[in-house]
Amino acid sequence: MTAAILTTDESAGGHQQSDGPNHAGQDISTGSGLRLRGRIPLSVGIAFTVLAIVLAWSLFPDLFTSRNPAAGVPNRKFTSPGLNYWLGTDHLGRDLLARIIHGSASSMTSALIAVTIGVVVGGLMGLVGGYLGGWIDAVLGRVVDVLLAIPSFLLAVIVVTALGYDTRNAAIATGLSAVAVFARLMRSSVLQVRTSVFIEAARVNGGSGIYILFRHILPNAVRPVLSLAVLQFGLAILTIAGLAFLGYGDPPPASDWGLLVADGREHLLHAPWLVIAPGLVIAIVVLAVSRISRWLDQGRNQ
Amino acid sequence: MNAADQTRAAPSRRTVLKATGAGALTLAGLSLAGWAFDSARAVANADSDGEGLTFLINNLDGGWVPSKSAISSYEANVWQQLTDKLVYTDPQGQVSPWIAQSWEQNDDNTEFVLHLREGVTFSDGSPLDADAVIANLDSWARGRPDEGIARVGLFPGSTYDGAEALDDRTVRVRFAAPALSFLPTLGYHGCLLLSPGSIAASVSEQSDLANQIGSGPFVLESWAQNDHVRLVRREDYDWAPQSAGRTGAAAPSGITFKVLPDDTLRASAARAHQTDISYNVSPQVLDSFTEAGFEIEVPRYLGFVHGFRVRADIEPFDDPRVRQAIQRGIDREEILRTVFTSAWEPATSWLQSGVPETTDLSELFAFDPDHAASLLDAAGWSEFNAEGFRTRGGRELGFTIYPTPYLTGSIPEAELISQQLGRLGIRVATQKVDIASYAGHVDNNPKQAFKEVTRSFVDVGTVAEVITDDGEDWFGVGSSDQKLVTLRDRIAGAGNREQRATVIDELSRHVLEEAYFIPLEQNVQRIYVQAPGLGGITFNAVAVPSYYAATKEKS
Amino acid sequence: MSATLSTAESKERLTPVRSGNRSPARRYSTYALRRVAESVLVVLLAYVLVFLVLAAIPGDPVSSQLDNPQNGYNDEEKAQIRSFYGLDQPILVQLALALGNFLRGDLGISLSMSLPVGDLIGTALPSTLVLAGTALVLALLISLALGYLSQRLPTGAANTSVRFLPTVFLSTPNFLIGLILIQVFAVQLRLFNVIDPNGLGSTLFAALTLAIPVSAQIAQVFITALDETAAQDYTEVAVSRGLRPGAVILRHLIRPSLLPTVTVCGLAVGELLGGSLITETIFGRNGIGTVVQKAVSAQDIPVLQATVVFSAVVFVLVNLAIDLIYPLLDPRLRSKEKAA
């Protein structure tokens, strides 16, 4: 998960240095608005298409395959990819494509859960700490330091061990391991907005703390966090796939993508498609998400 | 990323970057050189170990306390090379001389006299004489439970009255009751001969393999936990059993057991010709090895077939019809075709077909989905829920399989069984567990009705010890099944083999008719992928290999 | 948690001290002391946090062994053994005891292997250090190469590809990379020996597996930093002041571009330690990652506790070192100090 933040934070840091207090909410919205109306690069278009396909797989798997992902035709085990089975079959004669398609719902949902946990818990911590400051900020800051100090994949592993092995718990663990980065980003964004001129103005005009928080600070601070969230979504897919690969997700016949790779692994010698196909699907989806996040991020910076 | 700015600082930066690039290239070059060196070394190794064998194994975590690891599927491979046994028991259960050159027994099978081979010594030079044998017998029969040293489970210890030396090379062993299993059990992997010093050692001393002094064809050179055990040939070894087909010192100069926990890596290493033997490679990849010229050994031990023992005290499996339905709902042919290779064979009973007493009872559990469905209907599991699983009173019919980590291939097999029983309306979940957590999920779990059996024995009398609460109570029936109790007593009290064989047949019928045991296939617990050209390997009754006479053909 | 954030953090921590007219050296030592104290606090809190998470694990290997009827322990023996491992104490007492032992350097005893945890870690550590160290070197080489190409190649498809490559590296699951490397280079080309996981060839490929995602992080920061440096005026100013190009490069270009890169390397330590879990599994290495995996499946809490906290200690120490050195290297921070 660590990696994710690089690009986003980079730009957040950039703001702090160059734009400083001038960086008011109004600018941001017009900036990204202009960007969205502008020409969408081809690669971003492809990325959105990839994401749309996977979302469609998750929502309506039966539209894309009529084969049962959990029960196959044992006599057709290890069929190579071809016209009948586009991505071949596995060790029990199950259609790999059907398994990937039916596994996407679980992979996407769990990544979504992870990001939601990261955004909500981390965001709240950053928001409260950044807005209230003082000892609360100090305490929350230490908690964030601690969470950052533990390698995030290790943290996810021990949390999923404590919760029990299934994909939902792996998602929760992944989300918790990402709390710290969201908290940091949210806090720095809040600090930056809080000191800006128009918040001062709102305060002078007698706005209550809560009102200012929700009316002015949150909407402006939330933008960089959302951009990070998109990137984290991709990384959550990777982390959850990693956990599934190590056997900490749902057991077969579930077909989470990481599990598919783990399952296919011992057949790499004679049925390499069982590893390569789901592995590439993970890579392509994460790549698409990263591309979109980068694009959103660039939009924000202009 | 400003293209315009880039040009401004260009000249100087280009120089820097050239310098950095050059630095990077130098470093990369160095790593490449190291890598080339490594490859060269790997090749050199391959040449020089022409005489020695490399054996890749999942783990050697069981430790080296013989009472704990002698019968482990893993450590047994090492013990077999380090130690000898009193007799050799072959895969058909036939007993032939080894350290015991000959023996006599009385008519009741209660008293045995063993005549030991002359000149046998342990690797520390001490003699393997009558006193040493008695020390071993006592330890197998009784152990030292207060010190954490268990007895050998299959040795007829409860009726063991003791052994005495008639002279240096003659031992008399007495039992309180007929001990039909005594002689074959001496060839069992639990009954390995160690020097009296090793036997007397404490558990913590025993856990160091270096303290285990045997009389086998190989001796320890070095070992490291979780990493390797390296054995070298003992040059003065000269007491191999006849079945080995060789005399004198072992053929290979040594054997290196290398721990590589990952199944795929062991398979890859074999395919890359980086090892002579890879242990327990997934059965589903074996065909591709055979095609590439590898030799696959799938020795079968004497013992129980691979199957489920069902605890009949756990709802809803207390209803024999439910158990029978599951027994009839499993398509064993499909399992063999899909998960295993043609080297595997269908079960004919709950005992391996190599056991001399086994009779063909396969019609008692033949695949019959219609019959299975009607049994379930009759048992009241006739409603179906939205997912297509049977229910009764709102409760879904199903169970969880924790595929045994002691059997390679158990995971795809469980998945396939789940598919087959799913068609019948029984939901079977499969949850992968490893050795460390297996006992917690299965043995110590009072709600788990299904447990896979992977158990070897050398003498069929063992079955009496598992069926009731007088022993392991596999089926959770205690002493409530009167017929089991009677059969148990008749087996334990049998005076001769013929008489006992009849009772075994009767017992097997009862166990299968009640579906206490659901056989799957003949158990192959050890799979050896051998490099092309490797020969001279023998397997004993419990499917443990000896590499004493192994030779490598130069290819 | 990017380079910049962390830098910003250090700056933030330096600035409040600016008030008053203490000497820079005095202010630096105050800052250093504060960072050290914070690091100690973080490690202790990490210990507590990990302890509480692990306390939620149901069961432990000792109890499951004790409760196995086949082992035939009676209740008194069970109680004795449980109290030997401290399992009969309330959780907070266990925490206090464990924390006390931890402070004395005692990491406890493995429940599943009956070995001191310190020994277990000590045995596994060299392998992981070699792997992580090699991976870091490889990651730096890859990043340097990518950074070089990003500046060297003219704007166009090739340059865009180079700049896109880190994203590709970051998006590819490292288990996929590892599996393919083994399949191609060990099995097909037989360039390295998989049965000797600690051999140079196997180590290099394992390190490469680990290095690829990490190199992506470093390269992204490095390329951005190079771009930013290229946009600065002071390079030209320096040239106009008559400094030799070599000196300009050394003082004004390399250093500022490498500084954020150094910070991101510190952060990559976490990634290297976490990633070793999967990499070690795939390449069959016996390292910290393998110890963690075994401990997870055996629910061996003391081992998990020690290994996770150990990783946190490594991470904190590396980043502490970087934070302490950073202000001494960063010309911007130094000039701010002078201004104050």
Side-chain angles (χ1 to χ4, degrees), chain A residues 7 294 298, chain B residues 1-6, chain C residues 163 220 223-224 227-228:
Chain A
T7 35
R294 259 179 101 86
Q298 281 167 4
Chain B
M1 305 161 200
N2 302 296
D5 291 331
Q6 254 173 35
Chain C
R163 285 162 183 272
Q220 282 178 343
I223 291 175
T224 313
D227 288 342
E228 275 175 12

Side-chain angles (χ1 to χ4, degrees), chain B residues 1-3 5-6 8-9 12-21 23-25 27-28 31-35 37-39 41-42 45 54 56 61 225-227 258-262 264-265 268-275 309 434 436-437 439-440 443-444 451 455 472, chain C residues 64-65 67-70 113 137-138 141 144-145 147-148 150-153 155 159 163 182-183 185-187 190-202 204-205 223-224 226-227 229-233 235-236 248-249 253-254 281-284 286 293-294 297-298:
Chain B
M1 305 161 200
N2 302 296
D5 291 331
Q6 254 173 35
R8 219 184 302 161
S12 49
R13 201 178 60 248
R14 195 160 292 152
T15 329
V16 185
L17 291 168
K18 268 183 194 155
T20 353
L25 282 177
L27 276 170
S31 341
L32 275 176
W35 175 26
F37 167 76
D38 186 47
S39 312
R41 203 184 49 175
N45 277 347
T54 314
L56 294 186
D61 289 346
Q225 181 75 37
N226 287 333
D227 188 56
K258 173 89 192 137
V259 175
L260 204 54
D262 192 87
T264 316
L265 273 188
S268 303
R271 183 54 70 82
H273 295 274
Q274 291 171 353
T275 177
R309 60 176 172 82
D434 58 10
S437 52
D443 297 298
N444 306 337
K451 184 189 173 183
R455 179 79 73 89
E472 296 180 28
Chain C
S64 66
Q65 219 178 355
D67 296 338
N68 186 343
Q70 284 178 12
M113 278 173 281
V137 171
L138 287 178
L141 289 179
L144 281 175
Y148 173 76
S150 77
Q151 306 300 315
R152 178 67 202 266
L153 293 171
T155 311
N159 194 306
R163 285 162 183 272
I182 289 179
Q183 181 66 15
F185 291 98
V187 179
R190 298 190 197 170
L191 282 179
F192 70 97
N193 226 335
V194 281
I195 68 163
D196 183 17
N198 294 317
L200 196 57
S202 192
L204 271 180
F205 279 96
I223 291 175
T224 313
L226 282 174
D227 288 342
T229 313
Q232 301 291 338
D233 298 334
T235 326
E236 270 178 277
V248 177
I249 289 154
L253 222 139
I254 280 258
T281 307
I282 291 179
F283 283 85
N286 281 316
Q293 264 212 298
K294 280 192 182 169
S297 63

Side-chain angles (χ1 to χ4, degrees), chain C residues 111-126:
Chain C
L111 297 181
S112 62
M113 278 173 281
S114 314
L115 283 170
V117 178
D119 292 3
L120 274 177
I121 293 184
T123 320
L125 188 60

